[in-house]
Amino acid sequence: MGIQFKNVSYSYRGLKVNYDALKQITVDIKPEGEFIAICGHTGSGKSTMVQHMNALLLPTAGNVVVFGQQLPPRRKEKINHLRQKVGLVFQFPEYQLFEETIIKDIMFGPKNFKDTEEVAYEKAKRAAAIVGIGEQLYEQSPFRISGGQMRRVAVAGILAMEPSVLVLDEPTRGLDPKGKNDLMAIFKELHEKQNKTVLLISHDMDLVSQYAQRVIVLKEGQLVFDGTKEALFAHSDFASFHLDLPTPLKILRHLETEAGIPYQPMYDYDSLLAYLQEVGHE
Ligand SMILES: Nc1ncnc2c1ncn2[C@@H]1O[C@H](COP(=O)(O)OP(=O)(O)O)[C@@H](O)[C@H]1O
Ligand SMILES: [Mg+2]
């Protein structure tokens, strides 16, 4: 189960020419317990790739299997339910808020999947609690709260469908540092406490380094790396991926060349600090 890509290619059809956005991608994502970052330059195919995971896009060649269901579907099989199984939070998801109250917006997904009003309300309530939207906000307009809150309401709308896998397309983009950390803490908790598989598209290598276990790197529509973050940042061809190094690793490299402190990879600030205290005491 989970999500498998088998030689998946996707071309956007233009009036004159087609554009090959994905080229022969093969990848296997477990149904639970993974925290995967998808990285690569703008235009490398990240958003196109994740839209295959819940059947918003269907492969031009090859196939995708989502929780056992093959895409493109063999016959006239229904694929809508995959949007519940694999929850996709788009870039700037707050642009898709539209209901008159916050709670109605969060209930939209469950109701769309035919839950009763009561069940949808319960699910929305649970989702709102996860993202820290209190009951006092339920009846407010989603357009009269802060940008960070709007983003969290939009995420709650996806969580209310109780997806097995959560896919986040640049979820922290445009948020201030606190908004970023608050949101990442929510995803981390969903991963750790509910064992959910989380896929995170991000340009922010500090976030990738801090949260992801596995990293998939796309370059011009091709998969050029799929492995642990430890392997990625130690990769001899790292420069060819055109990714930034995370700040803790940059600092450690600098300290090695400028101060002779032995390089040991540390993936977040707390570990960096602990390491420097340790070498300082030796
Ligand atoms: N709707 C579309 N029509 C035509 N080309 C598109 C469309 N969406 C994306 N593309 C092109 O496909 C490539 C991959 O886009 P995308 O998957 O959005 O990349 P990323 O998310 O990595 O920035 C880009 O070159 C982009 O211009
Ligand atoms: Mg994108």
Side-chain angles (χ1 to χ4, degrees), residues 5 12 21-22 25-27 29 38 45-54 57 64 199 201 216 218 223:
F5 281 58
Y12 287 103
L22 289 183
I25 304 280
T26 294
V27 90
I29 291 155
I38 302 179
K46 304 180 297 295
S47 296
T48 304
M49 180 179 177
V50 300
Q51 287 173 66
H52 283 75
M53 295 181 183
N54 72 353
L57 293 178
V64 178
L199 283 116
I201 294 183
I216 290 170
L218 297 184
L223 188 150

Side-chain angles (χ1 to χ4, degrees), residues 12-13 19 21 40-49 91 169-170 201 203:
Y12 287 103
R13 309 235 170 256
Y19 185 84
H41 255 209
T42 303
S44 57
K46 304 180 297 295
S47 296
T48 304
M49 180 179 177
Q91 286 186 56
D169 195 345
E170 308 208 28
I201 294 183
H203 278 107

Side-chain angles (χ1 to χ4, degrees), residues 243-276:
L243 301 173
D244 213 7
L245 265 186
T247 311
L249 294 186
K250 278 190 197 157
I251 293 173
L252 282 156
R253 294 239 162 121
H254 186 71
L255 290 175
E256 183 179 47
T257 45
E258 299 302 319
I261 295 173
Y263 178 83
Q264 281 268 358
M266 297 291 151
Y267 300 98
D268 57 69
Y269 290 105
D270 289 340
S271 323
L272 170 66
L273 179 62
Y275 175 63
L276 292 179

Side-chain angles (χ1 to χ4, degrees), residues 20 24 42 47 92 129 153 155 180 193 198 233 237 245 282:
D20 299 330
Q24 305 252 319
T42 303
S47 296
F92 300 110
V153 168
V155 169
K180 242 184 228 192
K193 298 237 170 89
V198 176
F233 296 127
D237 274 340
L245 265 186
E282 275 170 10

